[in-house]
Amino acid sequence: MAVRPITIIGHKALHQPTKKVKEVTDEIRTLVADMFDTMEAANGVGLAANQVGARHRIFVFDCPSERGEDDNFVGVVVNPVLEKGVVPPGEPDEDDGLEGCLSVPGEHFPTPRAEWARVTGTDLDGNPVSYEGEGLFARCLQHETDHLDGKLYLERLTPSQRDLSRQARKERGWEAEGVTKWDPATQKADDV
């Protein structure tokens, strides 16, 4: 398949809710295969369709498990619906709460998230799927569903972290230079 360019913060596709998938076509199957290739090339743990310019309500993931090194959670969810636990108040733990995003390449900020989450939807064959987890996997499920709702993790930051994220974006020159995409096939996230 193919590695697709990833949209970065400032691109309007990241701030618009995606559309439900009514039918899984060959085009959708190709998109999902490309999303897995793109996520792997970018060293990501999840990727939403709107991050590669598609308005479909789909995300893929290959998220490390706390159970073991070679025991990842891997899958695709079409039309996901999120359930989650309570988000603890206050500043998140800088060790357990760091979050990054392929659409905010090279940056990581402590992000308040629920410790538990579940996503239900369907696979590419229309079969019901349900993924549930804690810790990093719960964070991944929440993060990717946020993308499909038109939200970036930066919008979840506490005020002090939000200020730091604005400063980082300014230093990288993304808004000033009009950078809207990066290509994980030829670039590293830290170089964008």
Side-chain angles (χ1 to χ4, degrees):
M1 295 282 106
V3 174
R4 296 186 182 201
I6 297 174
T7 56
I8 64 170
I9 187 168
H11 193 289
K12 69 180 182 177
L14 297 174
H15 303 286
Q16 298 172 341
T18 54
K19 297 178 180 178
K20 285 185 90 169
V21 175
K22 294 178 182 172
E23 177 186 3
V24 175
T25 61
D26 288 343
E27 177 187 325
I28 296 285
R29 290 180 187 282
T30 299
L31 168 66
V32 169
D34 290 354
M35 288 170 64
F36 273 110
D37 288 348
T38 303
M39 178 179 59
E40 182 180 344
N43 293 317
V45 299
L47 187 68
N50 56 340
Q51 290 182 274
V52 292
R55 296 268 326 263
H56 304 293
R57 193 165 179 80
I58 303 170
F59 73 79
V60 299
F61 58 90
D62 186 348
C63 184
S65 155
E66 282 99 26
R67 298 181 304 226
E69 196 172 293
D70 296 326
D71 191 21
N72 287 8
F73 297 103
V74 180
V76 56
V77 185
V78 178
N79 299 327
V81 175
L82 175 70
E83 299 172 66
K84 64 182 180 178
V86 176
V87 177
E91 293 287 330
D93 182 348
E94 293 221 14
D95 293 327
D96 294 333
L98 267 184
E99 195 164 318
C101 179
L102 297 176
S103 291
V104 188
E107 299 296 336
H108 298 84
F109 298 97
T111 307
R113 293 283 187 189
E115 180 60 25
W116 169 88
R118 175 177 34 231
V119 166
T120 55
T122 62
D123 65 15
L124 292 177
D125 296 319
N127 300 312
V129 293
S130 178
Y131 297 101
E132 180 176 348
E134 296 180 346
L136 179 61
F137 189 46
R139 183 174 293 281
C140 177
L141 296 175
Q142 293 169 79
H143 181 107
E144 298 311 325
T145 305
D146 270 357
H147 271 301
L148 300 178
D149 293 337
K151 293 185 177 165
L152 289 173
Y153 85 106
L154 300 178
E155 296 170 51
R156 302 253 181 229
L157 299 178
T158 60
S160 62
Q161 293 298 320
R162 198 171 300 134
D163 288 345
L164 291 173
S165 79
R166 281 189 201 105
Q167 180 181 349
R169 293 190 319 255
K170 184 177 179 182
E171 287 172 4
R172 286 185 178 266
W174 289 332
E175 286 97 2
E177 296 175 19
V179 177
T180 60
K181 296 181 180 186
W182 71 283
D183 186 351
T186 59
Q187 295 175 286
K188 293 191 182 314
D190 289 336
D191 296 335
V192 179

